[in-house]
Each structure stands twice: as structure tokens, then as C-alpha cells.
């Protein structure tokens, strides 16, 4: 019995190893955030760059040019080991991406990461154990979901920041004289 307990502990510890997801001290939620300087860019220029990203439709939760606020929800697919060895499950992780704009800088906040699947909803990624319990979604699978999510969000942020560089003149205009 003692060996089983020790082995279980090692599996849980190993599957959680390396996960350094950023937790906000106040909200206790996974939160990726940064204030980025954009010298020489007005709030309106930055707003146009955000709009140029092409995020539209029902996923947009706030779009206020005057306040310099743009918020949308997104999701991405994840694959992870099932509790049955050799099999995998698939699900989605949803998130909220908020951008706040001022002259010469912007702030992004990515939060509200939640796993959903027809095989069992893990729930909020801040949880140590998935909401559907560790027998429906293994701890190895839960760790894989968190690791995939971290990689996806970091890549999303890198692409976002790259697209936010430049000047307002870089934004394509709708014109027929090309």
C-alpha cells in the first residue's frame, strides 16, 4: 500500500512539474499581462492596429474606441492522454483576451482559461485537480492541457505584439486604386 501511495504521489508531482503558469495575486486566476510601450503611437493608431487583427463577430465582448478597450473570447483545441493508457482525448480551452490602449502604450490581459470536453470538463486551469475529477481526466492529461495552453497563449501573445508594431500607415486601406 505504501508503494502505491508513493508511486501515486510521484506521478502527480511529475505531471505537475514544470508548470509555471502565471497566477495573479489578487484574482488567483492564471493571467498573462504586460504593459507594452509603443512610442509615437496614438491611442487611435493602436486601436486601428487591434481592429486590423480581424477579430470580429460574437466573440467580441467590448469594443470602445473612446475608452481604448477591446475584449474578445477565443478558444483552441487540445489533445491529451486519456485515463486509458495509449488513448488520447480532445477538448478545447477558452480564454479572454483584453487590450487597453493609451497614447504611446497598451496593456494586454489574457485570463479565464477553461477546459471543456465531451469526455469530461476540466474546468478552470487554476484548479489543481480537474473539475470532472482525476479519474475522468487523468493528472497526466490535466498537466498536458496546462502545458499546451501555456505554449498556445505565449505564441498568441508573441503574434499579437508583433502585429501591434509599426505605424498607422502600415494598416492597409480599402481602396481601388492599386
Amino acid at each position: 500500500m505504501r508503494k502505491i501511495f508513493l508511486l501515486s504521489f510521484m506521478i502527480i508531482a511529475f505531471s505537475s512539474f514544470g508548470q509555471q503558469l502565471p497566477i495573479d495575486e489578487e484574482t488567483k486566476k492564471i493571467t498573462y499581462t504586460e504593459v507594452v510601450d509603443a512610442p509615437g503611437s496614438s491611442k487611435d493608431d493602436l486601436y486601428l492596429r487591434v481592429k486590423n487583427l480581424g477579430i470580429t463577430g460574437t466573440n467580441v465582448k467590448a469594443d470602445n474606441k473612446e475608452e481604448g478597450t477591446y475584449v474578445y473570447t477565443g478558444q483552441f483545441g487540445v489533445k491529451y492522454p486519456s485515463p486509458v493508457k495509449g488513448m488520447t482525448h480532445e477538448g478545447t480551452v477558452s480564454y479572454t483576451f483584453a487590450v487597453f490602449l493609451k497614447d504611446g502604450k497598451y496593456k494586454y490581459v489574457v485570463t479565464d482559461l477553461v477546459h471543456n470536453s465531451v469526455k469530461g470538463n476540466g474546468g478552470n486551469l487554476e484548479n489543481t485537480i480537474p473539475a470532472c475529477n482525476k479519474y475522468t481526466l487523468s493528472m497526466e492529461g490535466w498537466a498536458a492541457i496546462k502545458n499546451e495552453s501555456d505554449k498556445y497563449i505565449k505564441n498568441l501573445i508573441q503574434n499579437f505584439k508583433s502585429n501591434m508594431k509599426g505605424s498607422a500607415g502600415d494598416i492597409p486601406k480599402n481602396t481601388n486604386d492599386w
Side-chain angles (χ1 to χ4, degrees):
M1 185 69 178
R2 184 175 169 182
K3 288 181 182 179
I4 293 172
F5 175 78
L6 183 58
L7 181 61
S8 297
F9 177 78
M10 288 174 57
I11 289 171
I12 290 171
F14 178 76
S15 66
S16 298
F17 182 76
Q19 290 181 19
Q20 306 256 336
L21 300 174
I23 303 291
D24 182 89
E25 290 292 320
E26 288 182 34
T27 65
K28 306 297 183 211
K29 290 183 174 185
I30 296 169
T31 304
Y32 297 81
T33 186
E34 181 183 5
V35 174
V36 180
D37 289 326
S41 297
S42 70
K43 180 172 77 171
D44 289 345
D45 290 342
L46 293 170
Y47 177 80
L48 288 174
R49 290 182 207 157
V50 170
K51 293 294 283 189
N52 195 45
L53 296 176
I55 303 158
T56 60
T58 59
N59 292 345
V60 176
K61 302 302 175 197
D63 182 357
N64 189 316
K65 182 178 180 178
E66 290 76 34
E67 290 181 11
T69 304
Y70 196 84
V71 181
Y72 76 92
T73 59
Q75 68 178 19
F76 55 92
V78 289
K79 290 184 180 183
Y80 47 93
S82 82
V84 178
K85 294 295 178 198
M87 296 187 72
T88 59
H89 285 171
E90 295 182 17
T92 59
V93 173
S94 59
Y95 61 91
T96 300
F97 197 119
V99 184
F100 306 99
L101 310 164
K102 291 185 178 185
D103 289 336
K105 63 184 172 180
Y106 63 90
K107 177 181 180 178
Y108 66 81
V109 179
V110 183
T111 193
D112 298 330
L113 280 75
V114 179
H115 169 263
N116 290 298
S117 171
V118 295
K119 299 287 186 178
N121 294 330
N124 297 332
L125 266 57
E126 297 86 5
N127 296 339
T128 305
I129 297 174
C132 60
N133 78 46
K134 61 185 176 185
Y135 302 108
T136 303
L137 198 165
S138 70
M139 294 307 291
E140 181 183 9
W142 191 231
I145 291 167
K146 291 181 178 189
N147 286 331
E148 275 195 50
S149 297
D150 185 52
K151 287 177 189 172
Y152 181 90
I153 296 298
K154 285 178 178 175
N155 188 51
L156 176 71
I157 290 167
Q158 181 181 351
N159 290 335
F160 172 75
K161 287 169 62 175
S162 177
N163 287 321
M164 288 297 286
K165 290 181 181 175
S167 66
D170 295 336
I171 298 171
K173 304 271 190 281
N174 290 331
T175 179
N176 290 328
D177 57 345
W178 41 277

